[in-house]
Amino acid sequence: MSIETAPKISWWNRLAHPGQFVALTRPLVWPLAALTAVLFAAGLWFAFFNSPADYQMGDTVRIMYVHVPTAWLSQFVYATMAVSALGTLIWRHPMADVSMKSAAPLGAAFTAMALFTGSMWGRPTWGTFWEWDGRMTSTLVLLFIYLGIVALWRAFDDQLRAARVVAIFTLVGAVNIPIIKFSVDWWSTLHQPASVFTPEGPKMPGSILTPLFIMFFAFTFLFLVLQLVAMHTEVRRRRIATLERRMARGSAA
Amino acid sequence: MIGLGEHAEFIIAAYAGIAMGLALVIGWTLAAARSTRRRLAELDTRDRSDRA
């Protein structure tokens, strides 16, 4: 087969090769990290120096600029894992389980941050740090699901076998995401319903939406950077495991 | 710096918690990346010398 007749490798297949994936995505890390830093600087400036207090909640509205993005990421990271789980089970894409494994601890961290900032916002607004209502309880369940997934990955020596088990567990756990989203509509709750993405448009003024959107993108880009770095690390970990096995076989022979 | 009103302690606690959480996540991710890269470099060197 000559070079002219050889089939072209699609970007999908190219990304399936761990070494190619690292080579292709490594140049993205620093520009994305710089963009994230700029977004955080701008978001914090707007949050503290260029946005008004809310007419009802006063200055506690500023907690929203860190609570909403972390709450969004708690669900977005899980959605990323669920799509990766499909990639593992349906296409057996080698990078899908790397993505699943790398995202789980990040998702757990963002969920814990969302719960913490939520309770800091809840005390002055509702008079309580915690209430066992639909939104808060389902988000706590999400944290336990993340921690369960992290533990499950560590329970297996064979990471390929672990990937299939974790993928099924992840897809079963995905049922919790619509429960979190619609809990405020289904059950009586202290938590306010959706106020940004509604059919009638955002229910808040531009002066509050601006810092919220900037922080939303800052946190999302931070996740992308951390996910890429964690995926590169996981690829290297697997290479280390391969080399260690080869050396162990060599020294046993 | 603006005044944070009567509930300043909750606002400060929320942002301090986020700062600590992000520092931990970023630090842990970078530390894992560095130690893995170092271990891989060691093993690659040893593997090459074993093959030679």
Side-chain angles (χ1 to χ4, degrees), chain A residues 31-79:
Chain A
L32 280 174
L35 179 60
T36 303
V38 170
L39 285 168
F40 266 111
L44 287 171
W45 183 76
F46 271 102
F48 284 106
F49 299 102
N50 200 9
S51 64
D54 182 71
Y55 78 106
Q56 278 183 320
M57 289 185 279
D59 281 296
T60 57
V61 73
R62 298 181 206 284
I63 298 176
M64 179 175 69
Y65 306 135
V66 285
H67 174 67
V68 171
T70 49
W72 142 256
L73 276 182
S74 70
Q75 295 169 53
F76 177 71
V77 174
Y78 202 92

Side-chain angles (χ1 to χ4, degrees), chain A residues 4-253:
Chain A
E4 288 81 20
T5 57
K8 277 191 177 171
I9 299 173
S10 70
W11 64 270
W12 179 253
N13 287 337
R14 218 184 259 191
L15 286 180
H17 186 281
Q20 289 268 342
F21 175 84
V22 173
L24 282 171
T25 55
R26 198 166 37 197
L28 298 176
V29 172
W30 278 109
L32 280 174
L35 179 60
T36 303
V38 170
L39 285 168
F40 266 111
L44 287 171
W45 183 76
F46 271 102
F48 284 106
F49 299 102
N50 200 9
S51 64
D54 182 71
Y55 78 106
Q56 278 183 320
M57 289 185 279
D59 281 296
T60 57
V61 73
R62 298 181 206 284
I63 298 176
M64 179 175 69
Y65 306 135
V66 285
H67 174 67
V68 171
T70 49
W72 142 256
L73 276 182
S74 70
Q75 295 169 53
F76 177 71
V77 174
Y78 202 92
T80 304
M81 284 167 50
V83 172
S84 301
L86 290 175
T88 293
L89 292 174
I90 298 170
W91 298 290
R92 300 278 160 91
H93 197 287
M95 292 311 294
D97 49 289
V98 170
S99 164
M100 247 192 326
K101 188 177 179 186
S102 308
L106 299 176
F110 287 120
T111 307
M113 286 184 232
L115 287 168
F116 174 73
T117 52
S119 72
M120 287 300 113
W121 199 7
R123 182 68 182 84
T125 311
W126 306 324
T128 180
F129 285 108
W130 184 261
E131 181 68 36
W132 291 101
D133 74 351
R135 174 58 67 87
M136 284 174 256
T137 308
S138 55
T139 305
L140 184 64
V141 169
L142 180 64
L143 176 62
F144 291 143
I145 291 173
Y146 274 125
L147 295 177
I149 288 171
V150 171
L152 205 50
W153 274 112
R154 286 168 180 258
F156 285 85
D157 280 334
D158 180 352
Q159 294 293 282
L160 291 179
R161 211 168 132 234
R164 280 175 216 150
V165 175
V166 172
I168 292 165
F169 187 87
T170 302
L171 289 175
V172 172
V175 76
N176 192 40
I177 298 301
I179 293 176
I180 296 174
K181 168 83 181 120
F182 296 109
S183 58
V184 288
D185 303 318
W186 292 341
W187 297 297
S188 168
T189 172
L190 283 176
H191 202 283
Q192 67 183 62
S195 51
V196 179
F197 297 108
T198 69
E200 302 84 37
K203 294 177 183 170
M204 50 183 87
S207 54
I208 285 179
L209 268 179
T210 303
L212 180 60
F213 271 120
I214 296 173
M215 290 297 266
F216 172 90
F217 283 112
F219 274 92
T220 305
F221 278 106
L222 175 66
F223 163 65
L224 291 178
V225 172
L226 293 174
Q227 172 74 351
L228 278 179
V229 173
M231 285 179 75
H232 296 167
T233 302
E234 182 57 26
V235 167
R236 290 192 187 101
R237 250 186 225 129
R238 291 178 183 204
R239 170 86 182 133
I240 287 170
T242 306
L243 284 174
E244 283 176 340
R245 271 198 301 273
R246 188 196 294 168
M247 284 174 183
R249 273 200 302 270
S251 58

